[in-house]
Amino acid sequence: MNDFPPPLRSVWRSLLWKEWHEHKWKLASLTALVVAVPTIIGFWGVDSYLLMAAMTVTACYCLLAGTFVGMSTAGSEAGRGTLPFLQSLPVPMWKPGTVKLLIALATVVLPLFALLVVFCVWWTFAWFGGTLSLYEPWELQVPGPWGIQNRLAGTTLSGVIGVSSLLLWMATAGMNRSDEIRSGAIGFLVVCFVWFVLATGLELAVRRELTSLKYGLEVLCAAAPGGAAFVGRDTRPLEHLGWWPHLFAALLGHTWLLNLYLRRFGKVVPGTSRRTDEASPQRAGGYQHLAPPMRSQLTAVAWKQMRETGPLALLAVLGVLVATAAVWMADFRSKTADELGNVLGGITMSVCFFVTLVTGIGVFLEDSKPRVEDFWRSRPVNHSLWFSVKFLVGALILALSFGLLMLLALWLTDGDLLRSENNPGAAVTFVILLFVLIYTLAMATFCALRQPLYAAVLTIGLLLGGMFLAQLAFDYFEISSGKAGWALLLFSQIAATTLAWQAVKRNWHIAAS
């Protein structure tokens, strides 16, 4: 008797089955993340902020899902070592590339419709004892984006278009890298560079009153990452053309991106720039080109972690400084040191969150690959000491890089950066330590799950859920959030560090598909 399951009927079905089983839990985790927000709002009783929360959650979700699912689409096959298997199949590479992109798009789009349904149901029936039934529903009927006579539906459509655009940009820009973290870093830099160029050109056109150039750049913005989402919102039409030039630019630009993605998918072997059988002059000359071994294991591990974390932190700092200069110069108000400090502080905190999340996930990404992990676990290495060095070096690089920027912003604003009435230095220190906690949480969740996207979603969920529960407890027991906040931050840091340490030491991880 044949105990094997029947083969799948076609190549397309086989590829769809493969991608569905890789993305089904990503879809579930993203849906759970966005559906939890209206539930929290209902329990918290802030009914009047529902519409604002719907639009805010949609925007934040698009940035999160488009970035992390895009980098997973670009680098997951190479990171797991399955790209050579795909290349060996008797099918053109554009087929698995197409299926991977389609399933990824479905993964990021479906949670937005779930969010729309939950918000509409919440608005209509006022779950959890809310008072929304006392509010008139006219706010929902205000014309939203794309001329839709329902603001939530229009916002959802813009979110679908925006997250699909950002995912395609991230997948195309980060393609053929050796892992998902490198794909995400390259994609993020490309996205920031495109928007920086367009924003600088628009500012130049506005200052010099170049109407034609300004309109042309506004049309090009529709082809930028996520730019198509803003076409139907406040686009100023040119005579009777309306949205059509912007839609044409968006369609043309993203068609070119799709063509580039399908032609390049799987065509380059990650980490090599020539044929594997080509002779290497360094190999022929022996190993004289290698540097002498370091005297201690700790020095070698610290140097390795600096090489992995340092470049990303340096690029982030340079990006913050360039973006701060561009935003400050583009402001028509009076140029003061206080305004410069506020701009620097805001951009630093925004960029720091993404970089900290990616860096925390990437600390043990390379070391958790099967062959690499088998190698270093077979060495006579003190796992606890090895973990401590990697953790501390990464945390120090992030704290120094972004801490210096925050201190500079604090100095420029004369201590009024966070509008703190008492001890602004302590407030900035708290923010820096909070980002160290995010770094630790991301590292702990990745060590437990071994999947970058799941680790990112779980980290954000734990962070938001912890803040909500803490605020709920502070309000219920009438506790001041000052010393209690510091104590909670310290306890969370110890718990996250302990979890990551034990996961690395004892090789704990959940086999997520």
Side-chain angles (χ1 to χ4, degrees), residues 264-329:
R264 291 184 58 224
F265 182 82
K267 295 299 179 65
V268 178
V269 179
T272 63
S273 58
R274 56 191 172 203
R275 298 198 317 269
T276 55
D277 58 348
E278 185 177 346
S280 172
Q282 292 181 342
R283 189 181 302 170
Y287 293 97
Q288 289 80 5
H289 64 284
L290 295 177
M294 296 185 177
R295 295 184 177 181
S296 70
Q297 295 178 348
L298 299 184
T299 306
V301 174
W303 176 85
K304 176 179 179 294
Q305 190 58 41
M306 287 180 60
R307 290 291 301 270
E308 293 176 354
T309 307
L312 182 59
L314 179 61
L315 287 174
V317 170
L318 292 177
V320 167
L321 294 176
V322 172
T324 300
V327 172
W328 186 63
M329 293 179 63

Side-chain angles (χ1 to χ4, degrees), residues 80 83 93 104 124 126-127 164 199 205 227 240 246 279 301 316 342 360 392-393 408 412 444 506 512-513:
R80 294 196 304 265
L83 185 57
M93 288 304 297
T124 304
W127 284 356
S164 301
H240 60 282
H246 305 78
V301 174
N342 287 322
L392 290 176
V393 170
L408 176 60
L412 290 172
R506 303 181 184 278
S513 59

